Amino acid sequence: MPSLKELRGRIAGVKNTRKITSAMKMVAASKLRRAQTHAEASRPYAEAMRRMMSELAAATKGQGDAPTLLGGTGEDRVHLLVAVTSDRGLAGGFNANVARMTRQVIARLQGEGKTVKLLTVGRKGADQLGRTYADILVDRLPGTAGRDVEFGTASGLGERLVSMFEKGEFDHCTLIYNSFVNAMTQTPVERQLIPLPAPEGANDNEDARASDAPQYDFEPDEGTLLARLLPRNLQMQIYAALLESAAGEQGARMTAMDNASRNASKAIDQLSQRYNRSRQANITNELIEIISGAEAV
Amino acid sequence: MPLQVEIISPEQVLVRRDADMAVVPGAEGDIAAMPERAPVMLLLRAGVVSLYEGERVAEQYFVEGGFADMTADRCTILADAARPVSDLDANAARGRIEELDNNWSSVDPQNEAALIRAAEALQATQAEIESARS
């Protein structure tokens, strides 16, 4: 049975913890709003890009060799996985989920006899995966550390991937990140970046083409345009993933901290009850002592 | 019928407004987007996008390359980066060009992609200085 002093100390300690967790929750909530605004601001560009991509892909279809970024190298030996995690913890299962999925994908690919390379974005992912997969780890890149995601981060990574791809360091590239479902839910997803899966709506477009939709003119020719658009599209996909992951991180932290605050409140209640009970017991004891002392006289 | 002009960078929508004509810096020369024209998709070089209202230039924006998607009723410009011409600073750009010059001489001549990138960065900064001056 802990003494009253000990209990008081413990209650004070849990109260302090609750202060911290609820502050973190508030901070995460406001950062989440920011991150969401950012993600929404990037949508028009992504949409316009998708429209151009499907138009170009349709126009270049059947015109000799597609660029390798789109059509792949024709080989399927080396897979590069890019795992996007956060830099900080205290976000529930946010990072563990990505790490688990990455492990599964690695196991699956290695089971198929493929060579796997791994690149981590964010400190937590490097911590969790770096040790186990030190031999296949290409690099560990810093994450966003809770700050706003800049397009420069994504374009830098995109350029790096393209140059690695052009050097023939991998055939397939897949991004694993937490997709933002809502503030409560983040689901880890894998998205193939290279070769690019057929752009959505490419088929609808063909129908539109059959009707009297006017044909696009391209300047310079569609091949050159496509070759320029593809790396940019890759960067945009990475950017979108980083934004989603950043928003998801704040959402996950908000939920985790909300739970933690609630648990702390519960713990405080329980401890207070114990404290009051033992205080009562002490008083009763003292009374009994006094009364029996008085009776003895 | 006016033309809906949008200038979008990856991070935000910079401009969304109606104009009678937009002149954009195509990679192979300036092109005017006007209503009721055949659709064109083009690659942009660094330069100035001018939005016209009638004969008057209403607004000017500097874009650092990108793409444009023009149809009969809209002109969407996907800029790598863009800002109003009034925000350009020729002196700052001149400072940067020296840096880029050094960068250029240090690029490995075997690395074609890096060469192209360095050349484009130089051209963009050069275009910025010229746009700021005019």
Side-chain angles (χ1 to χ4, degrees):
Chain A
M1 191 69 192
S3 73
L4 285 183
K5 188 158 180 275
E6 266 173 16
L7 277 173
R8 261 202 307 272
R10 229 191 275 174
I11 291 173
V14 181
K15 273 189 179 155
N16 273 335
T17 311
R18 186 175 62 178
K19 257 184 227 159
I20 295 171
T21 55
S22 60
M24 279 184 80
K25 180 188 146 195
M26 304 298 274
V27 171
S30 81
K31 280 191 177 171
L32 171 66
R33 193 151 336 124
R34 253 185 97 84
Q36 270 179 306
T37 332
H38 260 264
E40 269 158 35
S42 79
R43 228 159 269 160
Y45 191 94
E47 232 153 75
M49 180 141 270
R50 204 170 307 131
R51 203 165 55 216
M52 290 183 75
M53 280 298 300
S54 61
E55 197 68 46
L56 273 167
T60 49
K61 204 189 283 174
Q63 273 190 9
D65 290 336
T68 45
L69 274 178
L70 188 65
T73 51
E75 298 221 20
D76 184 21
R77 275 184 315 110
V78 187
H79 285 245
L80 177 72
L81 300 178
V82 182
V84 181
T85 54
S86 68
D87 274 348
R88 307 229 178 110
L90 292 180
F94 182 80
N95 294 310
N97 284 344
V98 168
R100 190 184 316 124
M101 179 151 193
T102 310
R103 276 192 214 103
Q104 282 167 359
V105 175
I106 292 177
R108 191 186 71 216
L109 289 171
Q110 284 179 338
E112 289 168 10
K114 310 264 189 335
T115 314
V116 183
K117 290 180 180 178
L118 180 66
L119 200 149
T120 57
V121 179
R123 209 163 50 81
K124 284 286 157 187
D127 288 352
Q128 295 194 8
L129 297 163
R131 221 163 310 131
T132 335
Y133 298 110
D135 48 331
I136 61 169
L137 193 67
V138 181
D139 198 2
R140 36 180 94 195
L141 299 173
T144 51
R147 286 187 303 271
D148 290 342
V149 185
E150 284 171 17
F151 186 66
T153 322
S155 63
L157 178 55
E159 273 168 26
R160 175 157 182 195
L161 290 182
V162 170
S163 80
M164 279 174 77
F165 181 67
E166 278 164 357
K167 280 185 215 148
E169 288 179 32
F170 61 86
D171 302 312
H172 280 231
C173 178
T174 309
L175 199 60
I176 299 175
Y177 66 100
N178 270 305
S179 91
F180 182 87
V181 182
N182 55 43
M184 305 283 287
T185 328
Q186 300 82 31
T187 341
V189 291
E190 39 175 324
R191 170 178 286 185
Q192 187 169 317
L193 291 180
I194 304 173
L196 191 74
E200 292 163 41
N203 291 333
D204 309 346
N205 230 321
E206 222 155 323
D207 297 338
R209 197 163 278 280
S211 67
D212 54 3
Q215 290 272 349
Y216 265 94
D217 277 337
F218 297 100
E219 184 191 307
D221 59 296
E222 49 265 48
T224 319
L225 210 49
L226 187 60
R228 294 297 295 263
L229 198 58
L230 278 169
R232 176 66 53 181
N233 183 54
L234 182 74
Q235 292 168 359
M236 201 58 212
Q237 299 235 14
I238 297 171
Y239 184 54
L242 289 181
L243 282 173
E244 276 205 40
S245 172
E249 178 192 347
Q250 301 306 339
R253 180 161 302 130
M254 198 176 87
T255 323
M257 287 302 117
D258 187 45
N259 283 337
S261 304
R262 211 167 310 147
N263 286 342
S265 298
K266 214 185 283 170
I268 290 172
D269 282 351
Q270 280 169 354
L271 284 172
S272 306
Q273 203 175 32
R274 255 171 84 185
Y275 173 76
N276 289 336
R277 283 222 181 110
S278 35
R279 198 166 51 99
Q280 273 301 326
N282 280 355
I283 293 170
T284 318
N285 266 344
E286 277 167 26
L287 280 176
I288 290 172
E289 275 164 24
I290 292 168
I291 292 166
S292 44
E295 271 173 3
V297 179
Chain B
M1 190 181 71
L3 187 72
Q4 196 200 13
V5 183
E6 292 174 310
I7 302 181
I8 313 175
S9 79
E11 275 147 351
Q12 58 177 322
V13 177
L14 265 117
V15 189
R16 180 177 282 157
R17 56 166 289 168
D18 288 344
D20 293 318
M21 181 172 83
V23 176
V24 304
E28 297 178 346
D30 288 5
I31 283 196
M34 293 172 86
E36 308 297 333
R37 286 283 191 85
V40 186
M41 233 176 240
L42 66 156
L43 190 65
L44 301 183
R45 65 182 153 79
V48 174
V49 176
S50 309
L51 310 183
Y52 283 78
E53 274 172 6
E55 295 294 304
R56 199 173 57 86
V57 177
E59 283 180 78
Q60 286 192 308
Y61 292 89
F62 178 79
V63 297
E64 282 177 24
F67 309 92
D69 173 11
M70 302 175 178
T71 62
D73 55 357
R74 65 178 168 75
C75 170
T76 308
I77 294 163
L78 297 182
D80 296 353
R83 67 207 115 122
V85 165
S86 51
D87 288 3
L88 291 182
D89 182 352
N91 290 327
R94 260 182 224 116
R96 253 182 301 140
I97 217 160
E98 271 172 39
E99 202 179 301
L100 287 170
D101 247 337
N102 294 335
N103 201 9
W104 167 257
S105 23
S106 66
V107 169
D108 170 20
Q110 302 297 319
N111 189 341
E112 203 175 313
L115 274 180
I116 293 173
R117 252 204 305 283
E120 272 170 3
L122 265 174
Q123 278 167 4
T125 316
Q126 192 67 48
E128 191 176 330
I129 294 175
E130 275 159 26
S131 313
R133 209 181 287 145
S134 55

